[in-house]
């Protein structure tokens, strides 16, 4: 995994947006996708909002995805394998880049057909604990016509990233404005943040 970790970190250092293919193995991505689809079919996913625990706003004109928070307490073997991977990545990131990350939070995300998320930053005005954003995609056989690109605002022009299975995107939560363009079919991911408590 060190080579994939290096790819993600080095591309972040070079361009402020790290990208690594197959950060999630096809096997693990498949099991996580199966978990997500089961949660969705059983109506366990909730409409996402903006803001944090102190102030959550749910406005479908801003974002229209549904989410489910991951937690080791759920004792799902594949989600725990995902957490083990994140623990290993954070250990490596802290040792190589001295980032001081102390924790994380992740949720499943599903954008139904026609869903989107308008341009935003991931760090809250009243809480700076989110340091890095990470998105890991769970979409096999995705093509450009399916839409749902992650569009990152850049001075030289927006960078659009296709949500292909296993791909991971990594950037600073307080720097990169981004949006999810309208998706033309269900779009699945794990989304989260690496945090540093002050």
């Amino acid at each position: 995994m060190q080579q994939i970790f290096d790819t993600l970190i080095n591309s972040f250092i070079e361009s402020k947006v790290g990208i690594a293919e197959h950060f999630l193995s096809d096997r693990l991505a498949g099991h996580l996708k199966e978990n997500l689809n089961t949660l969705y079919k059983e109506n366990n996913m909730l409409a996402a909002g903006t803001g944090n625990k102190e102030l959550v706003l749910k406005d479908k004109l801003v974002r229209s995805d549904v989410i489910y928070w991951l937690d080791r307490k759920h004792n799902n073997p594949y989600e725990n394998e995902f957490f083990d991977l994140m623990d290993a990545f954070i250990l490596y990131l802290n040792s190589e880049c001295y980032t001081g990350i102390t924790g994380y939070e992740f949720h499943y995300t599903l954008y139904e057909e026609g869903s989107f998320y308008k341009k935003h930053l991931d760090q809250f005005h009243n809480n700076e604990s989110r340091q890095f954003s990470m998105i890991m995609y769970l979409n096999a056989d995705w093509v450009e016509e399916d839409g749902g690109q992650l569009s990152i605002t850049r001075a030289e022009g927006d960078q659009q990233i296709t949500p292909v299975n296993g791909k991971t995107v990594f950037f600073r939560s307080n720097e990169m404005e981004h949006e999810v363009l309208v998706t033309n079919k269900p779009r699945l991911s794990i989304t989260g943040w690496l945090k540093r408590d002050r």
Side-chain angles (χ1 to χ4, degrees):
M1 287 304 299
Q2 182 176 326
Q3 184 176 354
I4 294 175
F5 291 171
D6 282 337
T7 297
L8 191 63
I9 293 168
N10 290 337
S11 57
F12 163 76
I13 291 170
E14 289 168 9
S15 69
K16 294 189 175 182
V17 177
I19 298 177
E21 311 290 341
H22 309 296
F23 186 91
L24 297 181
S25 69
D26 289 344
R27 180 194 61 81
L28 180 56
H31 286 300
L32 294 169
K33 179 178 181 177
E34 187 176 335
N35 286 352
L36 193 163
N37 280 324
T38 298
L39 290 163
Y40 180 69
K41 289 173 185 173
E42 294 176 352
N43 295 313
N44 287 318
M45 300 186 74
L46 302 175
T50 57
N52 57 13
K53 291 177 182 177
E54 285 74 40
L55 179 63
V56 177
L57 301 174
K58 294 187 178 179
D59 184 348
K60 293 207 170 194
L61 297 177
V62 175
R63 67 182 297 189
S64 48
D65 53 320
V66 292
I67 66 171
Y68 180 90
W69 290 97
L70 278 67
D71 195 316
R72 279 194 185 270
K73 293 176 184 176
H74 299 156
N75 207 28
N76 180 282
Y78 303 113
E79 291 171 15
N80 286 347
E81 185 178 343
F82 167 78
F83 284 130
D84 290 343
L85 174 64
M86 294 314 307
D87 288 340
F89 176 65
I90 289 170
L91 187 65
Y92 190 73
L93 180 68
N94 283 342
S95 66
E96 294 295 309
C97 302
Y98 308 104
T99 50
I101 297 302
T102 58
Y104 50 70
E105 56 186 2
F106 286 96
H107 59 64
Y108 288 124
T109 309
L110 189 146
Y111 287 83
E112 298 164 312
E113 183 178 345
S115 296
F116 57 87
Y117 192 168
K118 295 292 188 182
K119 190 180 294 186
H120 63 284
L121 281 172
D122 282 346
Q123 194 178 84
F124 303 125
H125 292 298
N126 62 346
N127 186 332
E128 297 180 353
S129 63
R130 288 180 177 179
Q131 299 296 305
F132 297 96
S133 301
M134 292 189 75
I135 308 130
M136 284 143 279
Y137 295 114
L138 306 174
N139 307 294
D141 304 317
W142 199 270
V143 295
E144 189 172 346
E145 294 74 25
D146 294 330
Q149 291 87 354
L150 176 68
S151 182
I152 298 179
T153 303
R154 310 197 72 138
E156 63 273 20
D158 292 354
Q159 177 182 3
Q160 295 197 355
I161 299 168
T162 303
V164 176
N165 194 61
K167 180 187 290 182
T168 291
V169 184
F170 175 77
F171 53 88
R172 282 204 172 274
S173 300
N174 66 340
E175 287 184 358
M176 308 304 289
E177 280 195 319
H178 57 284
E179 64 183 310
V180 175
L181 303 183
V182 175
T183 184
N184 299 318
K185 70 178 188 181
R187 175 190 187 275
L188 286 62
S189 66
I190 292 177
T191 302
W193 302 273
L194 307 188
K195 304 175 74 175
R196 184 172 66 223
D197 295 322
R198 296 186 182 276

